[in-house]
Amino acid sequence: MQHALSLRFVLPAAAAAAALTCAAALPADAAAVPKSAAPKSAAPKSAAPKFAAPKPYGTSFQTDPHHDFTKHISPRHDGVLRGWVTYYRSGVAEYEPIRWVKDKTGHTEGRFEGPPEGDVTAYASRVAKNVVFYSATGCKGTTVTVKHGGLGSKRCSRSELISRMKHAHRPALITVYRGVIVKVQEIYTP
């Protein structure tokens, strides 16, 4: 009853009456309500929708027909790019498309290469604070962690991703959503 009186001072009379009615409808024992009947909160949404991924070892460069490369360097349109980061600074990564080139000598299976020198096919995007990073060589870079066609499967931290972006070109599937890199999944190269 004390609770109902405090409601009158805070709420208008009609709202206080409605609150008392709702309180009377509740069971006396809260444990009598099964947990399955309680409303469930919505699961958090992923950082980006599912985009169709290119073949990890595709032999042609992916295009972005709606991108204007004659202007300053800017983010790629939403989707997944087979590429690598060429430069990282202050939360922004510059990246370019790559393709797989089979070795004709038979010494190796092949290698990845970027666009030829002087080509302006490059993008720049911020790296999301909650970027998802899957490594092909583990978080310490010492153990091969590959599944499903040569793609990394070991989830590692953003700081590990940034460290790798700063030191070497690593082939990956780079997911861009709303101009921001939200996922990076390394492609294994022996």
Side-chain angles (χ1 to χ4, degrees), residues 18 22 44 51 54 57 75 91-92 116 126 135 146 153 160 164 173:
C22 290
F51 295 112
Y57 298 95
V92 177
R126 286 183 306 107
S135 171
V146 176
S153 62
E160 179 61 28
R164 292 181 188 195
L173 297 183

Side-chain angles (χ1 to χ4, degrees), residues 50-88:
K50 297 277 185 184
F51 295 112
K55 292 180 180 179
Y57 298 95
T59 56
S60 62
F61 292 115
Q62 288 174 262
T63 61
D64 189 354
H66 304 292
H67 194 85
D68 186 358
F69 291 103
T70 62
K71 296 182 179 179
H72 66 283
I73 190 167
S74 60
R76 186 180 194 280
H77 285 86
D78 290 356
V80 182
L81 174 73
R82 179 183 54 253
W84 55 31
V85 173
T86 57
Y87 182 75
Y88 176 85

Side-chain angles (χ1 to χ4, degrees), residues 1-17:
M1 190 68 172
Q2 182 70 13
H3 181 65
L5 290 175
S6 66
L7 287 175
R8 280 191 204 175
F9 295 111
V10 176
L11 300 172

Side-chain angles (χ1 to χ4, degrees), residues 85-102:
V85 173
T86 57
Y87 182 75
Y88 176 85
R89 183 176 177 202
S90 303
V92 177
E94 291 183 17
Y95 52 102
E96 64 186 11
I98 58 173
R99 68 178 178 180
W100 181 254
V101 179
K102 294 180 182 178

